Amino acid sequence: MRANKENWSLANYKSLRHPNNKEFVTARVNIINKKKVIRISIGTDVCSLVGFNKNDRLHIFIHRDDRDKLLIKKDKDCIDGYRLNHNGSNSSFMTFDFRYETAESFRLSQTILLEFDFEEGCLLVGLEKIKWRL
């Protein structure tokens, strides 16, 4: 089989974007220093509905019975917690990273759309989709 240049187009310069990115919450899991690190990316539209702003400090609460559910809440005193970063004016997401200690297997290095619900100041996120299910 021969590759003819006329039949192919270069694709590595095209960005992977969706027009509704600002309405999504995504997660990506990597292993850093032998620990699982989850990067949560919250669309800017979702951030404005919840009341999250750039450089806000967020607290993460894990449900005691269902460890696949996270409650992300803004710290009103802005003293501690995970800092919400905005990667630039063109970015559709605000992100933060945290270590997640568990023996369960995750889909590594894949950005997965998560299910979420929200109230003013709180975001409820389900992590079921980023875990391997047998």
Side-chain angles (χ1 to χ4, degrees):
M1 182 166 115
R2 252 185 147 170
N4 186 350
K5 288 185 179 181
E6 295 173 3
N7 295 334
W8 299 90
S9 63
L10 184 64
N12 55 349
Y13 64 90
K14 296 179 183 176
S15 63
L16 299 174
R17 295 197 179 261
H18 189 279
N20 299 335
N21 267 352
K22 295 178 180 184
E23 301 170 6
F24 296 147
V25 175
T26 66
R28 180 189 218 39
V29 180
N30 286 308
I31 295 180
I32 300 173
N33 295 329
K34 299 181 182 178
K35 306 239 188 237
K36 293 178 183 115
V37 175
I38 298 179
R39 169 168 283 185
I40 301 286
S41 300
I42 306 169
T44 53
D45 286 353
V46 175
C47 284
S48 63
L49 290 172
V50 177
F52 294 168
N53 298 309
K54 178 182 172 185
N55 295 326
D56 278 350
R57 295 288 185 159
L58 305 176
H59 289 289
I60 300 171
F61 300 93
I62 300 172
H63 195 276
R64 292 179 196 260
D65 297 327
D66 185 359
R67 293 188 52 87
D68 289 342
K69 289 193 175 25
L70 296 179
L71 180 69
I72 302 168
K73 188 174 182 180
K74 184 176 175 177
D75 180 20
K76 296 182 182 187
D77 298 328
C78 295
I79 297 172
D80 60 354
Y82 297 97
R83 183 184 305 237
L84 192 59
N85 298 310
H86 192 246
N87 298 329
S89 60
N90 289 338
S91 178
S92 299
F93 293 100
M94 290 196 211
T95 63
F96 67 95
D97 299 337
F98 68 99
R99 276 182 288 207
Y100 188 72
E101 300 295 328
T102 183
E104 294 184 81
S105 298
F106 287 92
R107 299 173 187 266
L108 296 177
S109 299
Q110 297 179 32
T111 301
I112 307 290
L113 293 176
L114 299 178
E115 294 179 11
F116 67 93
D117 197 5
F118 61 90
E119 290 181 13
E120 183 67 30
C122 294
L123 183 67
L124 179 65
V125 177
L127 299 178
E128 301 89 17
K129 291 185 175 181
I130 61 173
K131 294 186 177 182
W132 282 111
R133 300 285 184 207
L134 298 176

